[in-house]
């Protein structure tokens, strides 16, 4: 793998992080929509230089004059913040240029919502990220996976693979999520929220 680029402060440096669990067995599970988004963005932006850095798989892309680091923490979900903090520190990236994408049980499948900050809402990867960064002012892109059926344990539900029918909806919302993430990079969280949160659940 390529060696990490030298750290330097850059006002146009952004980091887009997708949360998930490493390993093929988790690739199509509900908990991994954050990873799915980063994979799609990597293709869309023709990202280069895939490497392991700071407990994350990262690639580098550009959007106009902006440099973007796309990251998938490899620590497993509940320790994700360790990788996010290390990358933000290494690249001297302000929190205003960081966006974290993850699955959300409280949003219906096929929906998404951007938020500029707040608590983790029970999502352990986001909880770890906020704790390690020492702030709740971290923009996030919540991708809905819906609630588990009946009395099913949410912990088991999020590790369950999407059905083929569900994957059709997931593909549609991930396309919207790509656009939302890139709008964040171009225009900031407020403008992206105004565009993509219309009609979304709270």
């Amino acid at each position: 793998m390529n060696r990490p680029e030298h750290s330097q402060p850059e006002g146009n440096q952004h980091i887009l992080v997708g949360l998930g669990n490493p390993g093929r067995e988790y690739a199509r599970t509900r908990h991994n929509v954050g990873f799915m988004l980063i994979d799609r963005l990597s293709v869309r932006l023709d990202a280069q230089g895939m490497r392991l850095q700071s407990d994350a798989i990262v690639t580098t892309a550009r959007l106009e004059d902006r440099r973007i680091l796309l990251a998938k923490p490899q620590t497993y979900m509940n320790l994700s913040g360790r990788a996010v903090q290390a990358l933000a520190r290494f690249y001297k990236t302000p929190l205003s240029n960081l966006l974290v994408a993850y699955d959300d049980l409280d949003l219906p499948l096929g929906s998404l919502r951007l938020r500029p900050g707040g608590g983790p809402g029970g999502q352990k990867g986001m909880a770890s990220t906020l704790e390690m960064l020492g702030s709740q002012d971290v923009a996030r892109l919540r991708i809905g996976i819906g609630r588990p059926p009946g009395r099913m344990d949410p912990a088991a539900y999020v590790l369950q693979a999407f059905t083929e029918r569900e994957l059709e909806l997931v593909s549609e919302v991930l396309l919207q999520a790509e656009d939302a993430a890139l709008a964040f990079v171009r225009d900031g969280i407020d403008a992206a929220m105004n565009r993509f949160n219309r009609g979304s659940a709270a």
Side-chain angles (χ1 to χ4, degrees), residues 43-61:
V43 173
R44 179 165 171 173
L45 297 174
D46 192 25
Q48 303 295 318
M50 181 181 291
R51 59 195 181 274
L52 185 64
Q53 180 183 352
S54 301
D55 291 317
I57 291 175
V58 301
T59 57
T60 304

Side-chain angles (χ1 to χ4, degrees), residues 90-105:
F90 182 85
Y91 290 100
K92 300 180 173 66
T93 304
L95 293 188
S96 58
N97 286 8
L98 170 67
L99 179 70
V100 182
Y102 57 89
D103 59 291
D104 195 303
L105 288 162

Side-chain angles (χ1 to χ4, degrees), residues 59-76:
T59 57
T60 304
R62 296 201 76 89
L63 181 67
E64 299 157 5
D65 64 335
R66 296 163 178 86
R67 184 173 179 275
I68 303 172
L69 191 78
L70 302 169
K72 299 191 296 183
Q74 299 295 292
T75 55
Y76 289 98

Side-chain angles (χ1 to χ4, degrees), residues 14-35:
H14 288 71
I15 299 179
L16 303 181
V17 178
L19 302 185
N21 288 310
R24 289 185 180 180
E25 65 271 33
Y26 299 112
R28 290 170 53 139
T29 63
R30 294 180 175 89
H31 228 11
N32 272 40
V33 290
F35 276 14

